[in-house]
Amino acid sequence: MAIFSSLTPVFIAIICVLIGVVLKKSNGEKEKQNMKSKLTSRPWVDEDLKDGTEHPLEEEEADEEWQGLEENVAHVPFTAERYSEAEMIKRSQTFYELLNKRRSVRFLSDEPVPREVIDNVIRTAGTSPSGAHTEPWTFVIVQDPSLKRKIREIVEEEEEINYKKRMGDRWVNDLKRLRTNWIKEYLDTAPYLILIFKQVYGRFPNGKKKTHYYNEISVSIACGILLAALQNAGLYTVTSTPLNCGPQLRVLLQRPANEKLLLLLPVGYPKKDATVPALTRKPLEDIMVVM
């Protein structure tokens, strides 16, 4: 009994240590699970905005792919206009001044816009470079009022959830100063909606998949050219990437499964009483580094 009595504190200490280890391990597992849950449920990650390039084709599809491409593309002489230094400076300054007037406008008029202008700006966007010249873009032009109404209903329903639940307090607070919310009146009033879809892969005539390299980067460049073309034509828009709306809009517009929504642009003239936030752009020294 004396020996047991003397060893009792030791046993108690060992048991306490073991209990502590078990509890710590249990809490650690819970923290890992919580962290994993947070990572997998990040509300601002939209599956449609992911680039599909990281998903390689099946081996048989990759082998088949070479049969659909020309082995030798003819090269032709290239001639370019060459400007004097003074003309280059003048043209670059004039173009900057034009693009510097570009603003995101959320108050758009229903005044008609010539359809030919829309055709031309889309042609211009289609001049964008693309990975292996795959041209992985589809521009869907919506002008039908009932279809625009359905698009607005889909977007506003999802955007209300985004603002109230998915985006988080920090994101919502950052947007308050710009006075934006889930109400998207411009989706009804703008004479045109341009929905830009990226083609995450293509199809050969025989139905096999065709890799579209750097599809998101390629389509993003095309979107930038499109914005410049709209500004050049005297039209305005606001870049819209409505989270979690892509699949519904893709079905509504009857687009194939290989296309994913990247950007939605309402296009038109500003309303007479339109306003924009009084924002400034970063000076050149803050955005350029010369080595």
Side-chain angles (χ1 to χ4, degrees), residues 192-254:
Y192 293 101
L193 302 182
I194 302 178
L195 293 92
I196 301 100
F197 289 83
K198 62 178 182 181
Q199 302 168 6
V200 294
Y201 59 86
R203 292 283 184 185
F204 289 111
N206 61 9
K208 292 290 185 178
K209 286 185 179 180
K210 174 186 176 184
T211 302
H212 279 176
Y213 309 98
Y214 301 108
N215 57 78
E216 183 159 327
I217 294 175
S218 300
V219 180
S220 297
I221 295 171
C223 290
I225 294 176
L226 176 57
L227 292 175
L230 289 170
Q231 181 70 17
N232 182 62
L235 296 176
Y236 288 82
T237 184
V238 54
T239 53
S240 173
T241 53
L243 291 176
N244 302 293
C245 295
Q248 296 181 72
L249 295 177
R250 187 164 66 247
V251 171
L252 176 66
L253 300 174
Q254 301 179 350

Side-chain angles (χ1 to χ4, degrees), residues 18-83:
L18 291 174
I19 292 174
V21 170
V22 171
L23 290 176
K24 184 176 181 181
K25 183 177 180 181
S26 176
N27 290 334
E29 290 296 325
K30 288 181 180 179
E31 289 179 3
K32 288 181 179 179
Q33 290 178 357
N34 290 336
M35 181 64 69
K36 184 177 180 181
S37 175
K38 289 179 180 179
L39 290 174
T40 56
S41 61
R42 287 171 59 190
W44 51 87
V45 175
D46 191 327
E47 290 298 319
D48 269 11
L49 297 180
K50 291 183 178 180
D51 195 325
T53 304
E54 70 272 14
H55 302 296
L57 299 176
E58 297 296 333
E59 185 175 348
E60 62 272 17
E61 292 177 334
D63 291 338
E64 184 72 23
E65 181 178 6
W66 293 100
Q67 300 178 22
L69 298 176
E70 296 180 49
E71 292 187 6
N72 294 298
V73 177
H75 282 222
V76 296
F78 175 73
T79 56
E81 290 189 64
R82 183 72 179 263
Y83 306 108

Side-chain angles (χ1 to χ4, degrees), residues 108-127 138-144 148 189-196 222 225-237 265-269:
L108 295 173
S109 166
D110 59 0
E111 184 180 352
V113 170
R115 170 58 189 280
E116 188 176 357
V117 175
I118 301 301
D119 293 350
N120 287 336
V121 297
I122 297 301
R123 285 194 184 98
T124 304
T127 67
T138 302
F139 301 90
V140 178
I141 311 301
V142 177
Q143 55 185 356
D144 178 72
K148 288 193 293 182
T189 58
Y192 293 101
L193 302 182
I194 302 178
L195 293 92
I196 301 100
I225 294 176
L226 176 57
L227 292 175
L230 289 170
Q231 181 70 17
N232 182 62
L235 296 176
Y236 288 82
T237 184
L265 301 177
V267 174
Y269 303 109

Side-chain angles (χ1 to χ4, degrees), residues 67-180:
Q67 300 178 22
L69 298 176
E70 296 180 49
E71 292 187 6
N72 294 298
V73 177
H75 282 222
V76 296
F78 175 73
T79 56
E81 290 189 64
R82 183 72 179 263
Y83 306 108
S84 67
E85 289 189 7
E87 181 66 14
M88 290 172 64
I89 293 172
K90 179 182 178 181
R91 290 172 66 90
S92 62
Q93 178 66 26
T94 300
F95 192 67
Y96 160 69
E97 291 172 355
L98 171 66
L99 269 293
N100 194 38
K101 295 176 182 177
R102 188 207 59 77
R103 295 299 307 269
S104 295
V105 178
R106 294 173 172 81
F107 304 99
L108 295 173
S109 166
D110 59 0
E111 184 180 352
V113 170
R115 170 58 189 280
E116 188 176 357
V117 175
I118 301 301
D119 293 350
N120 287 336
V121 297
I122 297 301
R123 285 194 184 98
T124 304
T127 67
S128 174
S130 60
H133 193 59
T134 52
E135 302 176 289
W137 41 67
T138 302
F139 301 90
V140 178
I141 311 301
V142 177
Q143 55 185 356
D144 178 72
S146 61
L147 197 52
K148 288 193 293 182
R149 165 57 62 171
K150 291 177 182 178
I151 291 174
R152 179 178 177 180
E153 290 172 355
I154 290 173
V155 171
E156 288 188 342
E157 180 179 356
E158 288 295 331
E159 282 285 79
E160 183 174 5
I161 299 174
N162 291 336
Y163 272 81
K164 292 183 176 180
K165 297 181 179 180
R166 296 178 181 136
M167 289 163 55
D169 293 338
R170 180 182 299 176
W171 191 347
V172 173
N173 287 332
D174 285 345
L175 290 174
K176 278 184 178 179
R177 66 193 185 102
L178 302 178
R179 300 179 189 175
T180 67

Side-chain angles (χ1 to χ4, degrees), residues 252-267:
L252 176 66
L253 300 174
Q254 301 179 350
R255 302 312 308 158
N258 67 315
E259 295 186 3
K260 295 184 181 295
L261 180 65
L262 185 66
L263 199 64
L264 190 164
L265 301 177
V267 174

